[in-house]
């Protein structure tokens, strides 16, 4: 076998057809537009990203859209309840009655144009009130109905010395009510979202508003511009 022979047999030349990307003939008019569109399509398809899910600590702030989120709910509840229990109404009530006031949370309306899960905000309010140890917080109407049903069941099925009888509930002195509102302003890909949360504490004996709290949040959301 000579030094120029090919031990692997005849090689086969493989050519890739790239004429659709790099046409030999000069394009103009509609042909040029079509060729450019294909290049952009191939480029964008290659830039497609895969979805990735990462679990993070619930205390991490995540603002993707600028809309009301869990961080807003938690911070607003914490700030407003801290302010509520630091106002004179609490000291005045405790001095006259000789005990902590009993508070219940009523309706909190969503007056914004977003879908806001108000119940999570109410839960944050209840948690902050309970943890403050400065007011006594009692179950709301829906929870009371379930508990009363349980007492009725105990009266029939439970041992007598373990039954919890009716008439031992603690009545609330105050009801907290409120609303969440927003204003949206948007232009040229930038938007400003303004939230306002109003809470009232109403004396159930005489309908006097003993405390009025307000918390405002303003967010600016800017869309990133990609340059090619």
């Amino acid at each position: 076998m000579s030094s120029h022979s090919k031990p692997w047999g005849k090689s086969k030349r493989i050519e890739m057809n790239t004429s659709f990307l790099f046409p030999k003939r000069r394009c103009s008019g509609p042909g040029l537009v079509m060729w450019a569109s294909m290049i952009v399509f191939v480029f964008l398809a290659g830039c497609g990203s895969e979805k990735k899910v990462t679990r993070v600590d619930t205390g991490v702030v995540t603002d993707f859209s600028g809309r009301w989120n869990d961080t807003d709910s938690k911070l607003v509840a914490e700030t407003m309840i801290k302010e509520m229990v630091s106002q004179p109404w609490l000291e005045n009530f405790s001095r006259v009655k000789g005990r902590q006031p009993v508070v219940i949370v009523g309706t909190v309306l969503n007056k914004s144009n977003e879908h806001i899960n108000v119940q999570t905000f109410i839960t944050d309010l209840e948690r902050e009130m309970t943890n403050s140890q400065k007011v006594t917080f009692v179950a709301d109407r829906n929870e009371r109905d379930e508990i009363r049903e349980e007492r009725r069941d105990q009266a029939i099925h439970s041992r007598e010395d373990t039954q919890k009888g009716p008439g031992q509930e603690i009545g609330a002195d105050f009801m907290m009510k409120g609303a969440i509102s927003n204003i949206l302003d948007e232009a040229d890909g930038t938007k400003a979202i303004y939230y306002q949360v109003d809470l009232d504490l109403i004396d159930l004996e005489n309908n006097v508003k003993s405390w009025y709290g307000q918390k405002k949040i303003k967010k600016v959301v800017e869309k990133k511009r990609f340059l090619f």
Side-chain angles (χ1 to χ4, degrees):
M1 181 182 297
S2 70
S3 59
H4 299 289
S5 62
K6 299 179 180 178
W8 308 107
K10 293 183 178 179
S11 62
K12 187 176 181 179
R13 187 178 180 183
I14 301 175
E15 294 182 349
M16 182 179 292
N17 184 6
T18 58
S19 59
F20 72 101
L21 289 175
F22 308 102
K24 294 178 180 178
R25 62 187 181 85
R26 180 176 296 177
C27 295
S28 61
L32 181 59
V33 173
M34 186 179 69
W35 179 78
S37 300
M38 290 178 61
I39 293 295
V40 171
F41 175 77
V42 171
F43 175 76
L44 292 178
C47 292
S49 59
E50 296 181 355
K51 183 179 287 185
K52 181 182 178 182
V53 178
T54 305
R55 284 177 171 75
V56 298
D57 187 89
T58 54
V60 174
V61 177
T62 51
D63 275 321
F64 297 119
S65 64
R67 291 194 289 268
W68 177 273
N69 59 24
D70 62 315
T71 302
D72 298 319
S73 177
K74 182 181 175 183
L75 292 179
V76 170
E78 184 180 333
T79 302
M80 297 191 77
I81 297 303
K82 196 172 289 183
E83 181 194 335
M84 184 191 82
V85 299
S86 67
Q87 296 300 312
W89 73 271
L90 180 59
E91 186 180 344
N92 295 339
F93 180 91
S94 299
R95 186 176 60 251
V96 173
K97 299 288 185 179
R99 60 175 174 80
Q100 290 184 343
V102 181
V103 179
I104 189 172
V105 178
T107 304
V108 177
L109 298 174
N110 176 18
K111 293 184 177 178
S112 74
N113 58 5
E114 295 181 14
H115 171 70
I116 294 177
N117 188 343
V118 175
Q119 189 54 49
T120 61
F121 179 58
I122 291 176
T123 302
D124 286 336
L125 292 172
E126 295 172 345
R127 186 193 63 246
E128 292 299 324
M129 270 193 275
T130 304
N131 292 342
S132 74
Q133 296 292 304
K134 293 185 176 178
V135 300
T136 301
F137 175 73
V138 293
D140 65 22
R141 182 179 302 172
N142 294 330
E143 292 171 317
R144 287 199 303 269
D145 288 343
E146 185 178 5
I147 294 168
R148 287 168 184 165
E149 179 60 32
E150 172 61 22
R151 278 200 289 264
R152 284 193 288 271
D153 187 79
Q154 284 188 9
I156 299 172
H157 302 288
S158 300
R159 207 173 61 209
E160 189 172 345
D161 61 321
T162 63
Q163 292 176 1
K164 307 297 182 296
Q168 300 299 316
E169 297 180 12
I170 299 176
D173 300 303
F174 297 91
M175 176 179 282
M176 176 177 283
K177 296 172 64 66
I180 303 173
S181 308
N182 76 336
I183 298 173
L184 176 64
D185 188 18
E186 186 172 12
D188 298 330
T190 301
K191 62 181 178 181
I193 311 175
Y194 171 82
Y195 293 100
Q196 179 171 312
V197 181
D198 297 292
L199 293 176
D200 297 328
L201 196 63
I202 303 171
D203 191 323
L204 289 172
E205 192 169 29
N206 51 27
N207 292 341
V208 170
K209 292 191 176 183
S210 301
W211 171 78
Y212 175 75
Q214 187 177 81
K215 176 66 178 174
K216 301 174 181 176
I217 301 173
K218 194 168 188 178
K219 301 180 180 180
V220 175
V221 183
E222 296 179 273
K223 286 185 178 179
K224 293 183 178 179
R225 300 177 186 276
F226 295 97
L227 300 176
F228 296 98

